[in-house]
PDB file of all heavy atoms in Angstrom:
ATOM      1  N   ALA A 116     -26.170  -8.704  14.745  1.00 96.00           N
ATOM      2  CA  ALA A 116     -25.044  -7.889  15.227  1.00 96.00           C
ATOM      3  C   ALA A 116     -25.318  -6.411  14.983  1.00 96.00           C
ATOM      4  O   ALA A 116     -24.972  -5.550  15.814  1.00 96.00           O
ATOM      5  CB  ALA A 116     -23.762  -8.288  14.500  1.00 96.00           C
ATOM      6  N   LEU A 132     -39.841 -11.631  27.159  1.00 96.00           N
ATOM      7  CA  LEU A 132     -38.981 -12.829  27.140  1.00 96.00           C
ATOM      8  C   LEU A 132     -39.042 -13.582  28.445  1.00 96.00           C
ATOM      9  O   LEU A 132     -39.019 -14.840  28.425  1.00 96.00           O
ATOM     10  CB  LEU A 132     -37.548 -12.389  26.889  1.00 96.00           C
ATOM     11  CG  LEU A 132     -37.279 -11.872  25.481  1.00 96.00           C
ATOM     12  CD1 LEU A 132     -35.904 -11.126  25.391  1.00 96.00           C
ATOM     13  CD2 LEU A 132     -37.311 -12.977  24.440  1.00 96.00           C
ATOM     14  N   LEU A 143     -40.067 -23.679  20.505  1.00 85.00           N
ATOM     15  CA  LEU A 143     -40.616 -22.309  20.583  1.00 85.00           C
ATOM     16  C   LEU A 143     -40.023 -21.412  19.476  1.00 85.00           C
ATOM     17  O   LEU A 143     -40.736 -20.629  18.877  1.00 85.00           O
ATOM     18  CB  LEU A 143     -40.360 -21.703  21.964  1.00 85.00           C
ATOM     19  CG  LEU A 143     -40.878 -20.289  22.196  1.00 85.00           C
ATOM     20  CD1 LEU A 143     -42.400 -20.243  22.004  1.00 85.00           C
ATOM     21  CD2 LEU A 143     -40.447 -19.782  23.553  1.00 85.00           C
ATOM     22  N   SER A 146     -39.486 -21.351  14.419  1.00 90.00           N
ATOM     23  CA  SER A 146     -40.005 -20.554  13.311  1.00 90.00           C
ATOM     24  C   SER A 146     -40.675 -19.303  13.877  1.00 90.00           C
ATOM     25  O   SER A 146     -41.055 -19.263  15.083  1.00 90.00           O
ATOM     26  CB  SER A 146     -41.015 -21.303  12.445  1.00 90.00           C
ATOM     27  OG  SER A 146     -42.228 -21.479  13.178  1.00 90.00           O
ATOM     28  N   GLU A 148     -43.577 -18.296  13.102  1.00 94.00           N
ATOM     29  CA  GLU A 148     -44.978 -18.639  13.343  1.00 94.00           C
ATOM     30  C   GLU A 148     -45.196 -19.270  14.714  1.00 94.00           C
ATOM     31  O   GLU A 148     -46.152 -18.947  15.408  1.00 94.00           O
ATOM     32  CB  GLU A 148     -45.499 -19.564  12.239  1.00 94.00           C
ATOM     33  CG  GLU A 148     -45.590 -18.914  10.854  1.00 94.00           C
ATOM     34  CD  GLU A 148     -44.250 -18.748  10.187  1.00 94.00           C
ATOM     35  OE1 GLU A 148     -43.278 -19.441  10.564  1.00 94.00           O
ATOM     36  OE2 GLU A 148     -44.173 -17.919   9.244  1.00 94.00           O
ATOM     37  N   HIS A 210      -9.464  -5.583  12.447  1.00 94.00           N
ATOM     38  CA  HIS A 210      -8.671  -4.465  13.067  1.00 94.00           C
ATOM     39  C   HIS A 210      -7.177  -4.811  13.056  1.00 94.00           C
ATOM     40  O   HIS A 210      -6.330  -3.912  12.780  1.00 94.00           O
ATOM     41  CB  HIS A 210      -9.149  -4.255  14.524  1.00 94.00           C
ATOM     42  CG  HIS A 210      -8.456  -3.182  15.247  1.00 94.00           C
ATOM     43  ND1 HIS A 210      -8.608  -1.852  14.983  1.00 94.00           N
ATOM     44  CD2 HIS A 210      -7.493  -3.235  16.209  1.00 94.00           C
ATOM     45  CE1 HIS A 210      -7.866  -1.132  15.783  1.00 94.00           C
ATOM     46  NE2 HIS A 210      -7.122  -1.959  16.512  1.00 94.00           N
ATOM     47  N   LEU A 215      -1.834  -3.628  10.799  1.00 90.00           N
ATOM     48  CA  LEU A 215      -0.624  -4.062  10.089  1.00 90.00           C
ATOM     49  C   LEU A 215      -0.398  -3.215   8.815  1.00 90.00           C
ATOM     50  O   LEU A 215       0.728  -2.798   8.517  1.00 90.00           O
ATOM     51  CB  LEU A 215      -0.714  -5.507   9.712  1.00 90.00           C
ATOM     52  CG  LEU A 215      -0.586  -6.514  10.877  1.00 90.00           C
ATOM     53  CD1 LEU A 215      -0.746  -7.922  10.355  1.00 90.00           C
ATOM     54  CD2 LEU A 215       0.831  -6.395  11.502  1.00 90.00           C
TER      55      LEU A 215
END
Side-chain angles (χ1 to χ4, degrees):
L132 291 166
L143 180 61
S146 70
E148 292 75 19
H210 180 73
L215 287 177

